[in-house]
Amino acid sequence: MEPTKQTINRHQLRTLIQVGIKQNWRGATNPFEPTADKKATVGFPGLAIWVGLNLFLSFALGGMILAISDFFISLVLSSFLAMTIVSMQVLMEFGNIIIIPDDFHIIGPRPVNSKTFFISKLIQLIYFVSLLSLAISIIPSFFALAKTESILSPVALILQFWICNLFASFLMMTIYTLIMKKTDRSRLERILGYVQLVMMILIMSGSFIFAQLFREYFMGADLSAALWVKLLPTYWFASPYKLISSGWDFLTFTFACGALILLIIISRVAFSYLSLSYADSLSRIPSNLESKQRNYLPRFVVSLWNRYARPEDKALLMITRANFKHDAKFRLGIMSFLPILLIYGAIGIREAGDGIFNPLNPIEGTAEIPNLLFGFAVSFFPLVIMSAMHSSKSWESAWVYFSTPMDRVRMVQSVGRIIILIITFPFGVGLFLIYLYFFKNPLDAFLHTLFLVTVGTNIITFGNLFSFTSKLPFSTDFSSGNVMMSGLGGLLLSLVVFMPPIIYICIAGYHGYIGWVVAMVIMLVIKKLLAIGSTKRIEIRVKKLEFFG
Amino acid sequence: MQKPVLFSVGIKTLIGGVRPLIKVANLCRSFDTKKAVADLNFEVRRGEIFALLGPNGAGKTTTIKMILGMLKPDSGSISFDGQPLQFGEVAYKSRIGYVPETCALYETLSGREYLSFIGNLHHLSETDVKEKSDRLLEMLDLGDEADQLIRSYSKGMKQKVLIISALLHDPDLIILDEPFSGLDANTVLIFKEILKSQAARGKTIIFCSHILEVVQKLVDRLMIMKEGKALVSGTPDEIMRQTGHDSLDLTFNRITGSRDTEAVAQDIIDVIGSSKDSDSGNPDSPSDNGTN
């Protein structure tokens, strides 16, 4: 049979798009709830979480539109921030929205040509980005109208946000799939993890650049003349608005043309990568990996761990490692948050300049901001990362928790302990070294780090108490936004409770070593109370659990 | 019960003649350095039920995926109804129904929605899909669950949906990879009858299964593979005669050169019973439910 020329099959295209969008709006599997009355139309709206989050963030961007007097600059800066946010969301949902591994097995044997499949994926991506763009631009557009009293401004803002977000999504998709193309399958999985890490760092760095710009603006700098503002892609994309509102200008026209060319190039490259063969590549990753487990830790550490760790901790560490290695979605979920820790550390060091405020022995003129950043990173982000540990593509294996004589309460608690071991503790060691360098006092560095780490462990237990994280590990299916939902929920509540004492200590200090002892005693008492409360809470929850998966 | 071979062959010859629907010649496919399929040759005639057998990793699924156009052969050719298949060609896929080994389904759709989706990809009319899928779901006891999400289905229910979706468009070639996995005994009987009837209608069926008792009773011909190569092919009776066994299980074991199954089983039992000290198993041991 000669291959026929591929034409778009409209009937199939409509079906693929309808089903794709329907799936995006349905949520994760909860194997612990009976499903007998779950009608197809009552799925949990996974995509709604992202839309809701962007609506919330749009208030902040709206504030920016009002705060910056030059509307064009506010347009450039707010769309840059929106672009980083939406890029991050696209990256996190890559395997749910853009290239779904199951597609290959379901669509592959059907009479669907790759052109029809590609167009359906493209439309789904545009739909996803457009929805998020609309949500994040809605409040700023009202504010733009109120500020400029011109209908052109909100229209320009919505278009600017949309085009910039599409550009960023296509760019990310290009980088991501280009690497998938250039590497062999056996290395793909490993590389994808690093790619995710690098991309998240780039995105986070974007937010950092933005914060710098914003600060410069309020310090009186003329951002419209700054070179690096002009180098921002959002400046280029906003150039057509400037041409319309301020009149002809050759440089602005050049920027506008550059933006158009850039968009066309990126679109063409990105489009060539949306295919079933990439879904196939993703779906095959696990079967092509080396199965040999390597141990990078010294033998005595492994021996100590094997001797003294609880059986639940040992089991959980093992499955965490296996999931990290073999489950792309889990790894991408973790990798989405890890860069935040690194970025916060890097920004803290940069902000330190010549010195960091020592809360035990304060010195005049040292910076307080790094303490806040470090405190925030070590205390709150482990909780967010912890929320990624509840989902797995092997979630159906959760039956094992019910068929073995294991203590499920301890299993739930193990998640927190493993996070402390693999995230909080290494970050704490890094923090100790930073403080040691700046404080020039090992005792002060150790005591302050110990306090922050204790707050961090309390927050993890706090998450269990309020049920944000008290779930059995790797026991639920992935769906759009579910990691973000539980992570942010826990984060917001714990911020309200724990941020005030951290701010106080990091800015005002402990008022001497006695103050540190008092603060630590308070934290340890809270720790004990939280432990009692969360254990009771987990016991109640776990007793009710039945496995329906 | 022995199949009425002469009668069956006679009807099929009348319907489809002897021209093979599928012809595989010198087919090869490797993954990295591993040869999954090596120089494979076979053909399946119209109206025939043909089984691909082999131990795990024999290359059965890879062969099937190449026939389906999901994997590209490294070399060799596949012909469908006398026409050589080109990789990327999709028109012939509308004449194929496929039940994969894994339950590959969009689990956030309901059973009814999924069948409608598949029907639409095959260009069946909306009313045709609805009528057919409603009736089939009802007949296979899925009527009450038809609007529930597939993720809430048991393995057997998912398997039923997969089989219905493979048959919905009345394909000429039906390819089934472990089709009876998870199905209850009554449903297996129903599907066996369906496959026989489809074959009698001139439909060609290729299937992989490890349930050799079913294979022995159902298929016209079979091929046993190992390490990507065909070891033997023919009717079940011919193959059993070659080894002198009267069951396909023992024949399979002999041909694939597997170890003495009884001895292996005994070794396993010895290992299971040899635990010396174990602290893993006391469900009543108190937990300290300590802090984080």
Side-chain angles (χ1 to χ4, degrees):
Chain A
M1 278 180 203
E2 288 302 312
T4 48
K5 196 185 168 193
Q6 292 198 343
T7 50
I8 296 164
N9 185 317
R10 285 165 191 253
H11 183 74
Q12 289 178 339
L13 180 66
R14 196 171 57 240
T15 304
L16 287 168
I17 293 168
Q18 278 172 353
V19 164
I21 289 175
K22 198 178 276 182
Q23 288 187 92
N24 295 343
W25 282 97
R26 289 181 181 168
T29 302
N30 184 352
F32 307 113
E33 280 179 8
T35 49
D37 58 348
K38 269 188 189 170
K39 295 284 179 192
T41 48
V42 200
F44 186 74
L47 198 53
I49 294 165
W50 290 120
V51 173
L53 182 68
N54 282 10
L55 270 174
F56 176 74
L57 292 170
S58 79
F59 280 94
L61 297 183
M64 191 182 296
I65 298 288
L66 289 182
I68 301 173
S69 55
D70 182 345
F71 175 70
F72 177 73
I73 291 297
S74 72
L75 184 66
V76 171
L77 294 185
S78 60
S79 56
F80 183 69
L81 191 57
M83 197 169 89
T84 60
I85 292 166
V86 172
S87 306
M88 193 169 73
Q89 293 164 349
V90 168
L91 198 56
M92 290 176 78
E93 292 300 326
F94 197 83
N96 284 329
I97 306 277
I98 301 163
I99 293 179
I100 305 169
D102 274 349
D103 283 345
F104 176 70
H105 299 292
I106 296 171
I107 312 290
R110 312 285 169 198
V112 178
N113 66 42
S114 56
K115 200 166 188 176
T116 306
F117 178 78
F118 149 71
I119 296 290
S120 80
K121 281 287 155 192
L122 180 64
I123 292 173
Q124 281 177 65
L125 174 66
I126 292 173
Y127 167 81
F128 179 66
V129 174
S130 305
L131 206 63
L132 298 182
S133 293
L134 190 67
I136 207 164
S137 61
I138 204 148
I139 302 295
S141 66
F142 281 119
F143 287 1
L145 180 64
K147 183 176 174 178
T148 62
E149 294 176 352
S150 159
I151 193 70
L152 178 66
S153 310
V155 173
L157 186 138
I158 289 171
L159 276 175
Q160 163 82 355
F161 274 41
W162 184 63
I163 291 170
C164 290
N165 291 338
L166 278 180
F167 167 76
S169 307
F170 292 160
L171 180 66
M172 287 210 321
M173 210 176 77
T174 305
I175 297 170
Y176 212 86
T177 45
L178 193 66
I179 290 163
M180 285 164 71
K181 188 174 182 171
K182 294 289 173 198
T183 183
D184 64 81
R185 282 174 174 161
S186 59
R187 284 159 53 203
L188 183 60
E189 164 86 342
R190 218 174 317 144
I191 288 174
L192 280 184
Y194 297 124
V195 171
Q196 180 91 348
L197 188 70
V198 171
M199 300 250 271
M200 289 306 288
I201 289 174
L202 286 177
I203 292 169
M204 291 293 161
S205 307
S207 313
F208 175 57
I209 293 168
F210 166 79
Q212 289 292 109
L213 288 173
F214 207 59
R215 190 192 293 179
E216 281 183 29
Y217 176 79
F218 281 107
M219 286 169 75
D222 180 12
L223 290 183
S224 60
L227 176 66
W228 58 327
V229 176
K230 288 180 179 162
L231 291 178
L232 289 176
T234 51
Y235 187 97
W236 296 28
F237 286 112
S239 297
Y241 168 77
K242 201 174 181 186
L243 283 176
I244 296 168
S245 61
S246 311
W248 168 261
D249 164 17
F250 179 72
L251 190 63
T252 311
F253 177 73
T254 310
F255 278 133
C257 292
L260 186 67
I261 292 166
L262 206 59
L263 189 64
I264 290 170
I265 291 171
I266 287 296
S267 311
R268 285 190 72 91
V269 178
F271 294 173
S272 64
Y273 294 136
L274 277 174
S275 70
L276 271 175
S277 61
Y278 281 111
D280 175 34
S281 298
L282 279 183
S283 69
R284 299 171 149 276
I285 288 167
S287 61
N288 287 290
L289 285 172
E290 304 162 31
S291 56
K292 197 179 172 188
Q293 294 277 341
R294 268 175 276 175
N295 245 325
Y296 299 100
L297 293 170
R299 194 172 287 176
F300 80 94
V301 176
V302 177
S303 163
L304 277 176
W305 170 257
N306 286 337
R307 196 179 175 99
Y308 294 110
R310 290 176 174 186
E312 290 83 4
D313 293 348
K314 285 185 208 167
L316 186 59
L317 189 64
M318 206 181 286
I319 50 175
T320 305
R321 279 185 65 182
N323 270 275
F324 193 77
K325 196 171 178 189
H326 299 287
D327 187 336
K329 283 189 178 177
F330 171 68
R331 177 138 76 167
L332 297 188
I334 293 278
M335 289 296 194
S336 305
F337 291 111
L338 271 183
I340 301 176
L341 280 174
L342 301 177
I343 291 282
Y344 269 65
I347 298 174
I349 292 170
R350 190 182 181 280
E351 291 289 316
D354 294 329
I356 294 178
F357 175 76
N358 180 346
L360 286 146
N361 287 303
I363 298 169
E364 197 70 30
T366 47
E368 289 116 353
I369 295 291
N371 271 332
L372 280 175
L373 292 169
F374 297 151
F376 190 80
V378 76
S379 306
F380 295 98
F381 278 109
L383 181 76
V384 182
I385 293 173
M386 203 170 147
S387 60
M389 285 184 63
H390 301 126
S391 303
S392 169
K393 70 177 180 192
S394 311
W395 62 272
E396 284 171 305
S397 310
W399 63 267
V400 79
Y401 300 132
F402 293 81
S403 63
T404 51
M406 69 161 47
D407 186 328
R408 291 197 292 273
V409 174
R410 286 180 18 166
M411 199 69 202
V412 171
Q413 289 173 332
S414 283
V415 181
R417 280 198 296 275
I418 292 298
I419 283 290
I420 290 167
L421 184 76
I422 63 176
I423 305 285
T424 311
F425 182 69
F427 193 77
V429 170
L431 209 53
F432 168 72
L433 294 174
I434 293 169
Y435 281 137
L436 186 64
Y437 175 78
F438 285 101
F439 292 173
K440 319 278 188 222
N441 182 335
L443 181 66
D444 289 0
F446 176 73
L447 293 181
H448 185 49
T449 305
L450 186 64
F451 175 78
L452 292 178
V453 166
T454 308
V455 176
T457 59
N458 280 358
I459 290 170
I460 285 173
T461 320
F462 181 79
N464 281 342
L465 179 64
F466 286 92
S467 306
F468 286 108
T469 50
S470 59
K471 294 171 189 163
L472 286 164
F474 306 111
S475 61
T476 53
D477 196 6
F478 288 101
S479 86
S480 300
N482 63 343
V483 170
M484 184 55 90
M485 181 71 171
S486 52
L488 281 185
L491 180 67
L492 291 176
L493 189 64
S494 53
L495 268 176
V496 173
V497 177
F498 286 96
M499 206 56 202
I502 290 180
I503 292 173
Y504 181 80
I505 297 285
C506 291
I507 291 177
Y510 296 102
H511 304 294
Y513 291 99
I514 300 292
W516 179 86
V517 171
V518 172
M520 270 307 279
V521 167
I522 292 171
M523 278 303 146
L524 290 173
V525 170
I526 291 174
K527 186 178 181 64
K528 188 70 190 166
L529 294 174
L530 283 175
I532 294 167
S534 71
T535 302
K536 293 272 176 224
R537 183 70 190 257
I538 295 169
E539 276 172 357
I540 293 166
R541 279 174 63 86
V542 160
K543 264 183 197 161
K544 288 180 187 167
L545 286 182
E546 291 177 275
F547 187 72
F548 295 91
Chain B
M1 194 178 78
Q2 199 64 265
K3 279 158 61 79
V5 177
L6 288 175
F7 176 74
S8 158
V9 170
I11 290 288
K12 286 167 189 173
T13 307
L14 280 175
I15 295 169
V18 288
R19 194 175 74 173
L21 186 73
I22 285 284
K23 186 174 181 183
V24 168
N26 309 112
L27 200 65
C28 295
R29 172 71 203 219
S30 299
F31 292 109
D32 296 327
T33 53
K34 189 176 182 289
K35 274 197 169 179
V37 174
D39 202 23
L40 197 64
N41 293 280
F42 69 92
E43 55 183 53
V44 189
R45 291 185 282 270
R46 212 177 272 273
E48 190 172 44
I49 304 182
F50 182 82
L52 279 175
L53 307 181
N56 296 328
K60 307 180 295 287
T61 302
T62 303
T63 305
I64 281 178
K65 284 189 173 170
M66 284 192 279
I67 294 172
L68 286 162
M70 292 170 77
L71 287 177
K72 190 176 182 178
D74 291 338
S75 60
S77 65
I78 301 168
S79 301
F80 181 82
D81 208 6
Q83 299 288 317
L85 292 181
Q86 300 287 327
F87 189 71
E89 169 68 51
V90 294
Y92 77 99
K93 291 185 183 181
S94 57
R95 295 173 64 188
I96 300 178
Y98 172 53
V99 176
E101 185 184 17
T102 52
C103 279
L105 293 159
Y106 289 134
E107 300 214 338
T108 47
L109 299 181
S110 69
R112 200 189 304 278
E113 283 174 334
Y114 184 78
L115 293 178
S116 165
F117 167 65
I118 296 298
N120 277 317
L121 292 186
H122 283 284
H123 285 264
L124 301 183
S125 75
E126 211 48 70
T127 47
D128 199 17
V129 174
K130 191 177 173 343
E131 196 182 316
K132 271 189 177 179
S133 54
D134 281 356
R135 288 178 62 188
L136 290 170
L137 287 165
E138 202 62 53
M139 285 171 190
L140 290 167
D141 300 325
L142 284 175
D144 292 341
E145 290 85 11
D147 291 319
Q148 285 177 22
L149 300 185
I150 290 174
R151 69 185 180 203
S152 70
Y153 286 10
S154 68
K155 190 170 189 296
M157 290 158 79
K158 286 178 185 172
Q159 197 67 15
K160 286 178 188 177
V161 174
L162 277 174
I163 295 178
I164 296 172
S165 71
L167 301 176
L168 200 62
H169 54 291
D170 196 19
D172 295 328
L173 172 64
I174 302 163
I175 300 178
L176 311 119
D177 201 348
E178 291 296 340
F180 304 128
S181 167
L183 294 178
D184 61 75
N186 288 333
T187 314
V188 170
L189 286 175
I190 293 171
F191 279 126
K192 276 162 64 180
E193 284 308 313
I194 292 172
L195 294 182
K196 282 181 196 167
S197 304
Q198 290 292 80
R201 285 178 62 211
K203 308 288 182 185
T204 305
I205 294 156
I206 299 176
F207 86 101
C208 300
S209 177
H210 293 296
I211 311 171
L212 299 184
E213 206 182 338
V214 174
V215 173
Q216 191 177 342
K217 288 177 183 166
L218 193 63
V219 304
D220 298 311
R221 285 192 310 124
L222 60 89
M223 183 172 80
I224 298 178
M225 294 175 71
K226 191 181 177 187
E227 291 168 358
K229 292 175 186 158
L231 298 179
V232 63
S233 68
T235 65
D237 288 341
E238 282 169 359
I239 292 173
M240 284 190 292
R241 261 202 306 277
Q242 282 177 24
T243 57
H245 291 294
D246 58 358
S247 85
L248 198 54
D249 285 327
L250 293 172
T251 304
F252 180 85
N253 183 255
R254 174 84 180 272
I255 289 174
T256 56
S258 298
R259 292 169 294 169
D260 178 349
T261 48
E262 280 180 24
V264 174
Q266 190 53 53
D267 288 349
I268 292 170
I269 290 164
D270 291 346
V271 170
I272 292 167
S274 70
S275 302
K276 292 186 184 86
D277 55 335
S278 168
D279 59 353
S280 60
N282 185 1
D284 301 324
S285 64
S287 71
D288 60 3
N289 293 342
T291 63
N292 283 319

